[in-house]
Amino acid sequence: LCVAFLILVALMLRAPFITYPNVTEYDEVTYANYAMHMVDGKPFVDIHPPLARILFAEVARKSEPIATRALDMTFNRPYGDFPIANERLLIALFGILLPLIFYAISRTLGSLPRVALLVGLFVATDNGMIIFSRVMLPDMLLLCFSFLALLCILMFVRTKKNSLGLLIGAGVTIGLALSVKWTALGMLMVILFTLLIHKRIGAALVVGTLACFVYIVVFASMLLVYFPFGGHASNFANEADR
């Protein structure tokens, strides 16, 4: 009942009117341009790892045909035929998942269901979490992957038997988080420190190795799949690119 209620609250605060406003919000315009340039096979420069851009590009590719031209780099401009509703819906799904992850973390740490529900509700009803669950930005992906990895590790250290599946889950999800933004290094350090204080050195090596492997695979996939022939990387906001 607690989980069902938490899903209902998160869903009601994230899914309705997902297309509103149908204009550029925050850095959405940047990621929309990233997606169109990746679909068009046009190299560009970005300081962040590529996983969020890959997901956005694939959502755009599977949507209605779009014109692969850059959007105006300003706020409150219409998206035209870019499938912003589908992109925002993807993020909303992760926004619904995040309160459930916090509920599970709280239960793993020994909280009663009603206390864990309160923890999840804080996340589900937080204004910032609601906003970032309704825009085409990578932050909700980062949070979900990072705390899912932490959940796997907490379950691992609290179980009496070693579980390779939990270690693999932690390594893969923290690797995915690193593939969204490098700020996930902070959570990786928390995870490794947690394993080390529990004297699980081998487990720490497994998680760290898997995280690096996933990051390399994601980065290599972007280069090989989207830009197999390389090309001159130019600023996608140049007038010539529009």
Side-chain angles (χ1 to χ4, degrees), residues 1-218:
L1 290 176
C2 289
V3 171
F5 180 71
L6 193 56
I7 294 174
L8 179 62
V9 171
L11 182 65
M12 291 177 61
L13 292 174
R14 285 154 177 77
F17 307 106
I18 196 69
T19 59
Y20 179 83
N22 191 26
V23 293
T24 54
E25 295 288 320
Y26 306 104
D27 289 337
E28 280 187 320
V29 59
T30 303
Y31 286 96
N33 282 328
Y34 288 156
M36 287 189 288
H37 277 67
M38 291 185 73
V39 171
D40 203 28
K42 183 182 296 183
F44 56 89
V45 175
D46 180 34
I47 62 173
H48 296 303
L51 182 57
R53 303 196 305 272
I54 291 174
L55 293 177
F56 293 150
E58 288 307 306
V59 171
R61 189 193 305 277
K62 290 177 172 56
S63 304
E64 295 295 326
I66 59 174
T68 52
R69 67 172 186 84
L71 297 172
D72 292 333
M73 294 294 290
T74 53
F75 297 138
N76 295 319
R77 292 298 182 93
Y79 279 100
D81 57 2
F82 183 80
I84 189 60
N86 294 337
E87 304 284 359
R88 287 177 178 173
L89 181 60
L90 170 68
I91 299 303
L93 294 176
F94 281 91
I96 295 170
L97 176 63
L98 186 62
L100 300 178
I101 295 174
F102 272 83
Y103 176 86
I105 289 175
S106 183
R107 292 285 290 134
T108 301
L109 293 175
S111 299
L112 295 173
R114 285 174 291 181
V115 176
L117 174 62
L118 184 62
V119 173
L121 286 175
F122 278 132
V123 179
T125 59
D126 178 79
N127 187 53
M129 294 296 101
I130 295 172
I131 291 175
F132 280 104
S133 297
R134 294 176 55 86
V135 290
M136 180 187 170
L137 296 177
D139 304 83
M140 197 53 56
L141 302 173
L142 171 68
L143 289 172
C144 280
F145 289 139
S146 296
F147 282 99
L148 190 56
L150 179 62
L151 172 61
C152 290
I153 290 303
L154 291 176
M155 293 176 66
F156 175 80
V157 298
R158 290 179 67 87
T159 185
K160 294 181 179 180
K161 295 182 180 180
N162 291 337
S163 175
L164 182 60
L166 290 173
L167 284 183
I168 294 175
V172 170
T173 49
I174 195 61
L176 293 175
L178 288 169
S179 301
V180 175
K181 282 189 176 182
W182 288 320
T183 49
L185 283 169
M187 182 61 79
L188 177 60
M189 294 300 102
V190 170
I191 288 172
L192 295 180
F193 181 73
T194 301
L195 290 172
L196 290 177
I197 63 175
H198 284 85
K199 299 180 180 179
R200 305 290 184 92
I201 299 176
L205 291 174
V206 170
V207 172
T209 302
L210 274 175
C212 293
F213 176 76
V214 170
Y215 179 85
I216 293 172
V217 168
V218 171

